[in-house]
Amino acid sequence: MADERTRYFRRLGRLRRSARRWSVLAGGLGGAAAVLTPYAGLGLPDAAWAAGAGGAVALAAWRWIDLRALTARPAPPPLDPAEAAARSRARLVAAVERLPVGPGVLAEVRRMRSRVALRGTSAAEPFARLDRAALTFAGMTTRLTGLAEPAVSEAAAADRSLRDLAARVASVERALRLAPPDARAPLAEAHAALSAQLESGVAAYERLVVAAAGYVAENARPGTEHPAAARLTEATDLLHGVASALAELRGVGNLSTTTR
């Protein structure tokens, strides 16, 4: 989608071209009517020439009026490059999300971008663990129903909070590398505290994922044999019985043939 300034100049160009076309057509039809009417005398064709010329003149006049009104308005200011890039990126993201695999692709791209942003910092390893745990948990969310359903929203909130905390740890660590010696002690203390919070938070998230896997396993494990396995066993026994009966019938048939 074009911005306001681009749409303004596109409409200006269309009106200018339309006004010129209708002006040329009005001049041609008016000249033809002026020449042919006295030459052939007044009649029905002359009325058609005159009507066409009059309509072309009126449309040309309206187009020039619209063009003058549009040029009287100031053109919209040019779009800021950063805003234009943001709009283009938003349109690209919206187009990709409409594809069947679009959301998954976008999620993977965002994950990779976050990992690259934390590369070389102490937050990279806890963030990678969090990412793996989040992917594992995402595969179980549809099975966490009933009493375990509130854990899904809690895990999503914790995931967002821990990712933000990892970004803060990386920011403080980069600032610590640039800080003068007299300012490093407070930053180092803050970095150690944030790193400890990140480590404990990621460990708690991993324990949540393990607990969710245990819930899914226990919820899916029946007290007796699985119904599908029981049906397969019954079908196997039935086929064995049919095969034995056919073998016995074939033996009886061969014996009667030999007796004859």
Side-chain angles (χ1 to χ4, degrees), residues 122-211:
S122 59
E125 192 273 335
F127 185 86
R129 288 166 48 200
L130 174 65
D131 212 18
R132 289 193 297 268
L135 286 175
T136 304
F137 188 82
M140 298 184 292
T141 52
T142 56
R143 297 179 176 87
L144 294 174
T145 56
L147 297 176
E149 191 172 355
V152 178
S153 58
E154 292 293 336
D159 179 70
R160 290 191 298 268
S161 177
L162 289 172
R163 290 178 189 274
D164 180 70
L165 182 58
R168 293 187 183 187
V169 170
S171 300
V172 173
E173 185 173 341
R174 293 190 181 98
L176 182 61
R177 296 171 185 172
L178 302 175
D182 57 344
R184 287 183 179 177
L187 281 178
E189 184 179 354
H191 178 265
L194 291 175
S195 299
Q197 290 180 8
L198 178 63
E199 182 64 31
S200 62
V202 172
Y205 191 92
E206 289 174 337
R207 290 193 295 270
L208 172 65
V209 174
V210 172

Side-chain angles (χ1 to χ4, degrees), residues 227-255:
R231 288 195 297 269
L232 290 175
T233 302
E234 292 176 0
T236 302
D237 295 338
L238 176 63
L239 290 176
H240 280 307
V242 172
S244 300
L246 290 175
E248 291 178 2
L249 289 175
R250 187 178 297 108
V252 172
N254 292 336
L255 181 59

Side-chain angles (χ1 to χ4, degrees), residues 87-105:
R87 290 188 179 183
S88 299
R89 185 165 55 251
R91 288 195 296 269
L92 179 60
V93 169
V96 173
E97 284 181 341
R98 285 193 292 269
L99 299 175
V101 296
V105 172

Side-chain angles (χ1 to χ4, degrees), residues 28-110:
L29 290 176
V35 171
L36 295 178
T37 299
Y39 177 78
L42 295 176
L44 186 60
D46 304 314
W49 282 108
V57 169
L59 286 172
W62 286 338
R63 289 294 180 268
W64 284 111
I65 291 172
D66 293 340
L67 179 61
R68 184 173 300 177
L70 184 61
T71 53
R73 288 162 35 190
L79 196 63
D80 183 67
E83 186 178 355
R87 290 188 179 183
S88 299
R89 185 165 55 251
R91 288 195 296 269
L92 179 60
V93 169
V96 173
E97 284 181 341
R98 285 193 292 269
L99 299 175
V101 296
V105 172
L106 289 176
E108 185 63 27
V109 170
R110 293 189 183 103

